[in-house]
Amino acid sequence: MTFPIQNIIEILTMDEDAAIDSVKGKGLWAEMAIRHVRLSTYVILALLYYYTFDLSWAKEPSVAMFAYLWARNILLGMVFYGGWHIFLYEIEAIRNKMHRHKFNQRYPGQSQHRRDAFWTTSGLTISTMFEATMYYLWANDIILIYTNFWAFPLYSIFHMLYVPYWRDLHFYFVHRFMHPWKTSQVPDFGQWMYNNVHYLHHKSYNTGPLSGLAMHPVEHLLYYTCTLLPFLFTLHPMHFLYNKIHADISPVAGHDGHEKPGGGSYFHYLHHAHFEVNFGTPVVPMDKWFGSYEDGSRYERKEVSLGKTK
């Protein structure tokens, strides 16, 4: 398992005076490398989920079944969102050690942390709804499924390999949909979505780990549509679980607000700091193609011109 075990080890063993291994200025390749090594975490968790649920339990849905799935997802959230927040932000020795690695040198207040924790819990509840529904559809043969992963090895591996890229592509379009479209050709529904839905996520402009899944419920519903691939393909439960868990916890590192050996997502930090750039991810460079990519140099030049260099 890579994230967060590898990150914790690197933080605990790093020299406080060592040069910062910055992702700033390194562009897409640096962040692509960081994000890819995390994938083993999601695969391991998907396996754990797969072997701790019997699909026959979902044939007749019950409150007990939903409560079990919900508790499992909340535990996942507590470990990854809560645990990484406590490690980086609440343990004074670690906070002091990582301070110079923080993109924004100021720290969010407790009111933001509480708000983010509440909406993250909401998001994991909606994730549970998607999970329980998919199990019900499979258990009752409404959607086809296969249970021997290695019966179709190339097919099974292929559908595992593209999940991160599908997630990035889906995230870009859902996310971009909720920002102003800046066009007069059609009504700007993106502005309405931002004002009424997506604004909640952007309240955390100086993000922390708990900010990642802190969204309006309508945004959660859109966000988790990435898991609906079984409506298009006959898949193994591992494909769905890998996709869902990727959606559940990948926002942790992307929002923790720190250089490596923290999450290292300067790309997405810039989006929260400046709103109209970097709508997607570095791995599938939609922002490059649609002209919204920003590496931070434009804002650094502004700081230099204003005499705010460090």
Side-chain angles (χ1 to χ4, degrees):
M1 186 179 293
T2 52
F3 178 83
I5 304 301
Q6 179 181 339
N7 305 72
I8 291 172
I9 292 171
E10 289 178 2
I11 291 169
L12 292 176
T13 58
M14 76 176 183
D15 185 343
E16 290 190 38
D17 298 321
I20 295 175
D21 186 10
S22 178
V23 297
K24 298 179 184 180
K26 292 185 179 178
L28 299 178
W29 293 108
E31 289 211 37
M32 285 176 67
I34 293 170
R35 295 178 82 250
H36 273 86
V37 296
R38 294 183 191 136
L39 298 181
S40 63
T41 299
Y42 311 139
V43 173
I44 291 168
L45 290 169
L47 282 167
L48 180 63
Y49 267 48
Y50 178 64
Y51 285 110
T52 55
F53 184 81
D54 188 326
L55 200 58
S56 64
W57 300 346
K59 200 165 185 67
E60 295 183 6
S62 65
V63 172
M65 184 200 78
F66 188 88
Y68 169 76
L69 296 177
W70 182 81
R72 187 168 67 170
N73 287 327
I74 293 299
L75 178 61
L76 181 78
M78 290 173 65
V79 170
F80 280 87
Y81 286 93
W84 196 233
H85 166 79
I86 290 170
F87 183 73
L88 280 182
Y89 284 78
E90 303 296 338
I91 299 176
E92 187 174 0
I94 301 298
R95 175 170 159 151
N96 292 339
K97 193 174 190 180
M98 288 293 290
H99 179 69
R100 66 195 187 96
H101 294 257
K102 196 170 182 306
F103 298 131
N104 185 329
Q105 294 290 289
R106 290 175 296 178
Y107 285 86
Q110 289 301 318
S111 60
Q112 175 179 316
H113 296 323
R114 288 192 294 270
R115 181 185 69 238
D116 287 349
F118 175 83
W119 291 112
T120 294
T121 303
S122 169
L124 292 171
T125 302
I126 290 173
S127 171
T128 305
M129 292 168 55
F130 275 77
E131 185 179 4
T133 300
M134 195 60 64
Y135 289 154
Y136 171 80
L137 295 173
W138 278 333
N140 289 281
D141 298 320
I142 298 170
I143 292 180
L144 294 178
I145 187 178
Y146 69 97
T147 55
N148 184 348
F149 187 89
W150 296 112
F152 312 99
L154 294 179
Y155 181 85
S156 296
I157 292 170
F158 170 73
H159 280 281
M160 291 292 285
L161 290 176
Y162 74 71
V163 164
Y165 306 100
W166 157 246
R167 280 271 298 115
D168 290 341
L169 188 68
H170 177 275
F171 175 72
Y172 174 85
F173 283 108
V174 167
H175 189 190
R176 186 67 189 87
F177 172 70
M178 294 184 293
H179 276 262
W181 298 351
K182 296 183 178 179
T183 178
S184 58
Q185 303 301 312
V186 295
D188 194 345
F189 191 61
Q191 183 70 64
W192 187 91
M193 287 294 290
Y194 186 88
N195 292 343
N196 293 278
V197 175
H198 192 48
Y199 79 94
L200 181 61
H201 185 62
H202 274 281
K203 280 188 172 182
S204 302
Y205 65 88
N206 182 11
T207 59
L210 295 168
S211 307
L213 204 60
M215 308 172 189
H216 190 285
V218 171
E219 182 170 355
H220 284 134
L221 289 170
L222 292 172
Y223 177 75
Y224 279 108
T225 58
C226 68
T227 64
L228 299 182
L229 290 175
F231 284 92
L232 301 177
F233 308 103
T234 300
L235 297 176
H236 188 277
M238 272 294 294
H239 298 121
F240 168 79
L241 289 169
Y242 177 42
N243 197 346
K244 188 198 90 76
I245 289 171
H246 193 294
D248 284 341
I249 63 172
S250 62
V252 177
H255 290 79
D256 76 5
H258 289 77
E259 294 268 19
K260 295 191 299 180
S265 187
Y266 185 57
F267 181 94
H268 196 66
Y269 164 75
L270 286 171
H271 175 74
H272 276 266
H274 302 289
F275 299 96
E276 297 302 322
V277 298
N278 297 357
F279 297 104
T281 72
V283 177
V284 178
M286 302 299 292
D287 289 288
K288 281 270 192 180
W289 299 336
F290 286 96
S292 52
Y293 173 70
E294 175 58 52
D295 64 2
S297 59
R298 175 158 52 113
Y299 301 107
E300 288 175 359
R301 286 195 298 270
K302 286 182 179 179
E303 289 184 354
V304 169
S305 67
L306 293 171
K308 294 182 180 179
T309 52
K310 296 176 184 177

